[in-house]
Amino acid sequence: MDRDMIEVKKLVHEYIRRDEDGNVESINRAIDNVNFSVKKGDFVAILGANGSGKSTLAKHINAILHPTEGSIWVNGLNTAEENNIWDIRQTAGMVFQNPDNQIVATVVEEDVGFGPENLGVPTDEIWERVEQSLEAVGMLEYRTQSPNKLSGGQKQRVAIAGIMAMKPQCIVLDEPTAMLDPNGRKEVISTVRELNKKEKVTVLLITHHMDEVTFADKVIVMEHGKIVMQGTPRDIFSRVDEIKQYRLDVPQVTELAFELSKAGLALPEGILTIDELVDSLIKLKQSNIDKAK
Amino acid sequence: MIRDITIGQYYPTDSILHRLDPRVKLIGTLLFIVSLFLFHSFLGYIAVTIFLFSIIKISKVPFRFIIRGMKAILILLLFTVFFNLFLTPGETIFKLGFINITKEGIKSAGFMAIRLTYLILGSSLMTFTTTPNQLTDGLEKLMRPLNRIKVPVHEIAMMMSIALRFIPILLEETDKIMKAQMARGADFESGGILKRAKSLIPLLIPLFVSAFRRANDLAMAMEARCYRGGDGRTKMKPLKYSGRDFAAYLVLCAYVVAVISMRMLEKRIG
């Protein structure tokens, strides 16, 4: 049976705060009965405003956190079992938000080699993998430089290469663009997209930038630890009012199209790109001209 | 100001010294430092001086660059010389009020000056020619036997290399916090020592908080990349001795023999 890459079943996670005597002071339910699955090779995006529980969810997939209730299966491995932890972390690599705080070494290529070193990969193969992964993220020419001299986007690509060198089947990116400028964001997103297409790596991208995920296979929207919307980007983004209610923005083009159709233009729902909007506007004009004739 | 300190920096050029295995350089520096404290006459320092300056020549590090690093320890050097000069009891040569300069004082001040200067020169030469990573790798490998008495050698080396990685980041952060506090009216420059020390509090607290947060993030990122201590780990750049390293060891042996024979000669004369 071909199992899904990630299966999350009835997941609950509670942050429990205790006082000095160990009595429970407060319980914060960060994830509340979440169910979803990610198919192999898919590009899935999880959206949510601050405090919606999306980062907590990401840490579960890498077995950094353990479920309070329910279970998570990564490529058929249960994250709750201690013996599976290292296999899971190798299967599902994780890229974090702050590019500085996840680079270990003082030279780019040594940092990319860090993961394979931990896995006990033989020296010759480490060099091969480092070269391949730096090539895959387009950072090969910076291999002997110090990470301190790179831009945020470049650092984040090095971090992605560091994960790729471990040959994962799945990458979880926890707001990888939150600390980057617009150029850096584009760089990182197109790199991830490329890896998903060319290397067939399953991608789970966590973000609150809507315009980064218009090409995703599936979008999941979270709010207060619950999944509130789930579907294709077109599905999700056609429900502009609902999305706004979850403190999220829709892509600018989508919002413009939404406002235009509210004002009476007969535009299709869920327009995601500028080209689509232009096309449908031209079509609209054409049909108006035809009618006038 | 921080930029002026050249001690501990790496000077990237291509010399035989740069290409040597870090272990050779570590052991060599250690032997050199020990040899500095063997002699009690200026004659003995001839061998040491010849050795040191030929190594500097081979390293291709410009002499001016090395001297610039010495400025940082000038005060320490002056202090040592000063105390040795004035506070050594013995045969008086010059007396003015409470100042009492003795023959022994001059001698020991001279020795201390030479020893300290050479010590700094020798050890900074090692850091000039060795990258921090090579240095930690070399230390890790040399201290490996200590593993048997439960010294966490790998962990210490890992901490050292992480510290090296984060020094520039934290420096930058210090600068940023300082400017932010100055923009809000903080004053780091005026007042006596006590006032200045107090004014550092609004700098140090945010810096510490941020350092801890970074440490937490990094630990998580390392775990996510399957880091689980030194066991079962392979190396991307393992240390391997080559022909030139053995040659360097031979040179070191020759140096040790030369130093010991000088010492014996010195004893016979003195």
Side-chain angles (χ1 to χ4, degrees):
Chain A
M1 190 184 86
D2 198 24
R3 296 192 71 155
D4 286 336
M5 193 67 235
I6 299 167
E7 284 172 73
V8 178
K9 287 177 187 159
K10 292 185 184 163
L11 180 70
V12 174
H13 187 85
E14 285 170 343
Y15 287 109
I16 300 171
R17 182 181 245 168
R18 288 173 200 276
D19 63 13
E20 279 154 15
D21 306 325
N23 301 318
V24 177
E25 262 185 353
S26 67
I27 296 178
N28 176 14
R29 206 165 245 233
I31 296 180
D32 192 2
N33 199 15
V34 160
N35 294 288
F36 72 93
S37 62
V38 176
K39 279 200 215 92
K40 277 182 185 152
D42 266 7
F43 192 118
V44 174
I46 298 186
L47 296 167
N50 291 334
S52 59
K54 56 194 196 307
S55 284
T56 308
L57 182 62
K59 283 171 196 154
H60 273 277
I61 294 162
N62 206 263
I64 291 171
L65 292 177
H66 300 290
T68 311
E69 277 168 44
S71 62
I72 298 188
W73 304 77
V74 176
N75 203 20
L77 299 165
N78 187 347
T79 63
E81 272 170 49
E82 198 68 34
N83 295 335
N84 287 343
I85 284 184
W86 303 110
D87 285 333
I88 287 170
R89 289 189 183 160
Q90 201 233 310
T91 312
M94 182 136 169
V95 176
F96 295 86
Q97 188 181 79
N98 188 325
D100 274 326
N101 295 357
Q102 54 186 319
I103 292 178
V104 184
T106 41
V107 181
V108 167
E109 59 180 11
E110 284 177 17
D111 185 72
V112 178
F114 180 74
E117 281 183 337
N118 291 336
L119 296 175
V121 175
T123 301
D124 297 336
E125 206 192 320
I126 295 181
W127 281 90
E128 249 168 63
R129 286 191 185 195
V130 167
E131 209 160 306
Q132 280 169 9
S133 8
L134 279 174
E135 177 92 66
V137 300
M139 289 292 291
L140 197 57
E141 54 185 306
Y142 299 95
R143 62 184 302 168
T144 56
Q145 285 203 18
S146 155
N148 292 330
K149 293 192 176 127
L150 304 179
S151 72
Q154 287 173 328
K155 277 185 232 176
Q156 208 57 300
R157 272 150 73 199
V158 170
I160 295 171
I163 298 300
M164 285 305 290
M166 294 168 73
K167 303 222 160 144
Q169 299 181 46
C170 169
I171 304 186
V172 182
L173 300 109
D174 184 8
E175 298 198 55
T177 58
M179 301 183 74
L180 306 180
D181 58 15
N183 279 334
R185 265 164 59 190
K186 249 183 241 162
E187 247 173 65
V188 170
I189 295 302
S190 66
T191 305
V192 174
R193 210 177 160 184
E194 197 113 302
L195 291 176
N196 174 249
K197 269 195 221 148
K198 282 197 187 143
E199 319 272 331
K200 308 279 172 242
V201 188
T202 313
V203 173
L204 189 67
L205 175 69
I206 291 163
T207 182
H208 56 248
H209 293 295
M210 289 280 180
D211 38 350
E212 284 172 359
V213 297
T214 49
F215 55 83
D217 294 302
K218 181 165 148 188
V219 174
I220 295 170
V221 179
M222 284 186 76
E223 171 74 350
H224 297 309
K226 289 189 173 109
I227 292 182
V228 285
M229 292 167 95
Q230 199 169 165
T232 62
R234 205 169 293 280
D235 252 13
I236 300 287
F237 294 139
S238 58
R239 289 138 77 181
V240 176
D241 283 332
E242 205 177 329
I243 285 179
K244 291 208 158 165
Q245 173 200 324
Y246 301 123
R247 296 176 288 152
L248 292 166
D249 290 320
V250 289
Q252 270 181 346
V253 196
T254 313
E255 188 164 10
L256 178 62
F258 176 74
E259 292 296 333
L260 285 175
S261 65
K262 245 202 208 163
L265 285 184
L267 288 170
E269 276 189 336
I271 282 175
L272 298 175
T273 63
I274 295 176
D275 287 343
E276 276 177 65
L277 180 61
V278 171
D279 278 351
S280 21
L281 281 174
I282 291 173
K283 256 185 223 155
L284 199 64
K285 197 175 178 200
Q286 201 63 50
S287 68
N288 282 347
I289 294 169
D290 290 345
K291 261 185 223 161
K293 278 178 190 170
Chain B
M1 195 193 93
I2 291 160
R3 289 184 142 211
D4 293 339
I5 301 172
T6 54
I7 295 179
Q9 265 184 18
Y10 177 64
Y11 186 87
T13 48
D14 193 30
S15 76
I16 304 168
L17 220 55
H18 281 76
R19 271 175 281 149
L20 277 184
D21 190 287
R23 285 170 290 178
V24 182
K25 286 184 263 190
L26 276 164
I27 292 173
T29 312
L30 201 70
L31 285 176
F32 177 74
I33 289 172
V34 171
S35 76
L36 282 179
F37 290 89
L38 279 179
F39 298 112
H40 299 285
S41 76
F42 287 103
L43 182 73
Y45 283 102
I46 293 172
V48 181
T49 311
I50 294 173
F51 180 73
L52 180 65
F53 283 88
S54 41
I55 294 283
I56 290 179
K57 191 85 199 139
I58 293 170
S59 76
K60 290 188 189 164
V61 180
F63 199 65
R64 271 175 50 203
F65 189 79
I66 299 173
I67 292 300
R68 215 181 335 145
M70 296 297 297
K71 273 187 203 159
I73 59 133
L74 197 66
I75 292 179
L76 180 74
L77 197 68
L78 284 178
F79 256 106
T80 323
V81 170
F82 181 84
F83 278 116
N84 273 295
L85 199 58
F86 296 125
L87 297 177
T88 315
E91 192 185 324
T92 307
I93 291 180
F94 179 78
K95 203 171 159 110
L96 183 83
F98 63 94
I99 298 169
N100 187 14
I101 295 172
T102 63
K103 197 178 168 192
E104 283 78 6
I106 294 176
K107 209 173 158 191
S108 77
F111 278 134
M112 269 338 266
I114 294 179
R115 279 176 193 158
L116 261 179
T117 319
Y118 282 15
L119 186 117
I120 303 290
L121 280 182
S123 44
S124 56
L125 201 60
M126 176 178 73
T127 58
F128 285 147
T129 58
T130 321
T131 61
N133 279 359
Q134 285 178 324
L135 216 58
T136 34
D137 276 359
L139 270 177
E140 184 180 354
K141 203 105 191 232
L142 278 178
M143 299 200 310
R144 180 77 37 98
L146 293 181
N147 240 340
R148 245 179 257 158
I149 53 167
K150 301 236 162 83
V151 179
V153 176
H154 166 78
E155 280 74 9
I156 292 173
M158 181 55 87
M159 281 194 273
M160 272 176 63
S161 67
I162 288 174
L164 287 168
R165 149 110 181 89
F166 276 90
I167 284 172
I169 294 177
L170 289 178
L171 276 180
E172 203 178 303
E173 185 135 24
T174 313
D175 195 51
K176 222 187 267 171
I177 296 172
M178 222 163 160
K179 278 182 184 142
Q181 303 289 37
M182 269 151 76
R184 287 187 257 165
D187 178 10
F188 295 110
E189 265 136 34
S190 65
I193 291 181
L194 212 67
K195 192 173 167 253
R196 275 204 213 181
K198 258 189 191 164
S199 72
L200 283 181
I201 293 172
L203 175 70
L204 290 179
I205 288 175
L207 192 65
F208 267 88
V209 170
S210 142
F212 278 115
R213 190 174 301 136
R214 281 178 193 280
N216 189 30
D217 278 6
L218 186 73
M220 203 154 59
M222 284 170 74
E223 270 195 6
R225 284 164 84 181
C226 293
Y227 179 74
R228 55 200 126 163
D231 298 338
R233 232 175 153 252
T234 45
K235 285 258 171 204
M236 181 180 179
K237 295 174 177 171
L239 293 177
K240 264 193 206 121
Y241 282 129
S242 66
R244 77 172 86 86
D245 298 311
F246 292 116
Y249 272 131
L250 277 181
V251 173
L252 269 180
C253 283
Y255 173 69
V256 170
V257 169
V259 164
I260 291 173
S261 36
M262 287 293 264
R263 175 85 185 101
M264 274 149 76
L265 195 72
E266 190 186 84
K267 246 188 190 162
R268 198 166 303 162
I269 299 169

